[in-house]
Amino acid sequence: MKKEDCIFCKIAAGEIPSKTLYEDEQFRVILDLAPATKGHALVIPKEHYANLYEIPQETAAGVMKLAKTMAEKMTEKLGAVGFNLLQNNGEAAGQSVMHFHMHLIPRYHGDGQQLFHEQPTASQDELEEIKRQITE
């Protein structure tokens, strides 16, 4: 299913030009127009799913398999020394296009990207309470 007003549906269908790195019946992998690093790309399912909560398990598994294949190829071809896979769900998490997609971000020494910041340490009691909430 395609959503008429979704820019990623249009890109995935080839209606909007992109720098496509890979395409098959289910997915399109494109270079990001605002790259965090050299080679930053997006895995976009051709079917519309707003986020992780909507995407079928099989499609999510396909995204991860393709991400692994692309990360290996991009690391080799671009000389990356590390790799981030990033997937955001909802505005609070940084999702700006409400069509499920995974960011493939090659990493290089000195690339200046700070995707993570120092986190305070949680107490054992806090961790136990969170575990209880999730598992009950």
Side-chain angles (χ1 to χ4, degrees), residues 49 55 67 85 95 101 106 127-128 131 133:
Y49 310 104
I55 193 169
L85 299 179
Q95 185 179 10
H101 58 286
L127 294 174
E128 188 61 38
K131 175 185 165 196
Q133 288 176 332

Side-chain angles (χ1 to χ4, degrees), residues 110-127:
D111 65 20
Q113 289 301 314
Q114 295 288 349
L115 299 180
F116 303 99
H117 60 280
E118 285 192 37
Q119 298 288 324
T121 303
S123 72
Q124 289 300 309
D125 289 342
E126 290 171 314
L127 294 174

Side-chain angles (χ1 to χ4, degrees), residues 44-61:
I44 304 172
K46 290 187 174 181
E47 294 292 319
H48 183 84
Y49 310 104
N51 51 44
L52 181 66
Y53 309 111
E54 291 186 7
I55 193 169
Q57 293 273 356
E58 310 79 47
T59 307

Side-chain angles (χ1 to χ4, degrees), residues 30-134:
I30 65 168
L31 289 175
D32 195 304
L33 290 177
T37 64
K38 177 183 171 184
H40 179 173
L42 306 173
V43 177
I44 304 172
K46 290 187 174 181
E47 294 292 319
H48 183 84
Y49 310 104
N51 51 44
L52 181 66
Y53 309 111
E54 291 186 7
I55 193 169
Q57 293 273 356
E58 310 79 47
T59 307
V63 169
M64 185 55 79
K65 287 178 182 178
L66 180 53
K68 180 185 184 323
T69 298
M70 293 301 300
E72 290 170 343
K73 183 172 188 169
M74 294 165 75
T75 296
E76 175 191 345
K77 300 290 186 177
L78 299 175
V81 295
F83 217 94
N84 289 116
L85 299 179
L86 179 65
Q87 203 282 309
N88 304 316
N89 296 281
E91 286 183 36
Q95 185 179 10
S96 58
V97 177
M98 299 306 155
H99 181 119
F100 178 96
H101 58 286
M102 181 174 283
H103 293 261
L104 309 176
I105 306 173
R107 298 304 303 270
Y108 310 92
H109 290 297
D111 65 20
Q113 289 301 314
Q114 295 288 349
L115 299 180
F116 303 99
H117 60 280
E118 285 192 37
Q119 298 288 324
T121 303
S123 72
Q124 289 300 309
D125 289 342
E126 290 171 314
L127 294 174
E128 188 61 38
E129 174 58 19
I130 294 166
K131 175 185 165 196
R132 184 194 64 72
Q133 288 176 332
I134 293 171

